[in-house]
Amino acid sequence: MEELDLIVESVKHDMEAAIKHLDHAFQRIRAGRASTNMVQDVMVEYYGAPTPLNQVANVSVPDAMTISIQPWDRTAIGAIEKAIINSNLGFAPSNNGENIILNVPPLTEDRRKELAKQAKGETEDTKIVVRNARQNGIKELKKLEGVSEDLVKNVEATIQELTDKHVKLCDDHLKAKEAEIMKV
């Protein structure tokens, strides 16, 4: 019985981790306003090692359409600029010698649709992870010996309920993000 609970908890943990990953992915998809989350995954080549941007510079948002990046070491300004360009975020950094300014252009209708499509892709990837967690849980159930068929069926039903709940959560998150993206 304890093994069954362990399998259900493992599946639940994997599904919740997938939802957290979806939320993180959605934070990187901009919705018209500047945010420090937009550049949080930029890695800067700093003294020969890839380093997260927030560890080599102060990243701030002075207004809704601007991101300001002020390096702690001025010699890193070129590396930061290069990392932003190579990250394919769609920003053209302007360097004034002391800091880098990223102007967040207003979203065009085409760009909004592209971002919505990107959000939908992230959601589909998350649903796949949720379904894989279900499959792995059911495989683990099948491996167990000496457990009655009724118990196995009950646990399978519980796992399916968890799957349905998390797939619905994915869809709800997508609806909210699409609404945020499409809002002018």
Side-chain angles (χ1 to χ4, degrees), residues 44-51 55-56 72-77 79-80:
V44 178
E45 193 69 29
Y46 189 61
Y47 288 109
T51 310
Q55 291 182 14
V56 296
W72 292 309
D73 177 4
R74 289 204 181 136
T75 61
I77 202 160
I80 292 171

Side-chain angles (χ1 to χ4, degrees), residues 88-113:
N88 293 327
L89 292 173
F91 298 128
S94 64
N95 172 353
N96 67 8
E98 288 185 25
N99 55 12
I100 295 174
I101 304 293
L102 301 177
N103 289 316
V104 179
L107 294 175
T108 63
E109 189 65 28
D110 289 342
R111 183 68 178 143
R112 288 178 196 279
K113 288 178 183 174

Side-chain angles (χ1 to χ4, degrees), residues 113-140:
K113 288 178 183 174
E114 199 176 297
L115 291 174
K117 192 182 291 185
Q118 183 181 346
K120 192 172 281 190
E122 290 287 350
T123 303
E124 288 306 316
D125 291 346
T126 303
K127 286 180 182 179
I128 290 169
V129 171
V130 167
R131 291 183 189 118
N132 285 342
R134 175 190 64 196
Q135 288 298 105
N136 293 340
I138 290 174
K139 281 181 189 172
E140 291 298 315

Side-chain angles (χ1 to χ4, degrees), residues 32-94:
R33 290 185 53 106
S35 166
T36 58
N37 291 332
M38 292 177 182
V39 294
Q40 75 182 9
D41 293 331
V42 173
M43 298 298 275
V44 178
E45 193 69 29
Y46 189 61
Y47 288 109
T51 310
L53 177 62
N54 64 359
Q55 291 182 14
V56 296
N58 180 31
V59 181
S60 62
V61 182
D63 63 58
M65 302 310 267
T66 309
I67 300 173
S68 175
I69 302 166
Q70 187 169 16
W72 292 309
D73 177 4
R74 289 204 181 136
T75 61
I77 202 160
I80 292 171
E81 194 171 16
K82 182 178 176 185
I84 292 168
I85 291 168
N86 292 341
S87 67
N88 293 327
L89 292 173
F91 298 128
S94 64

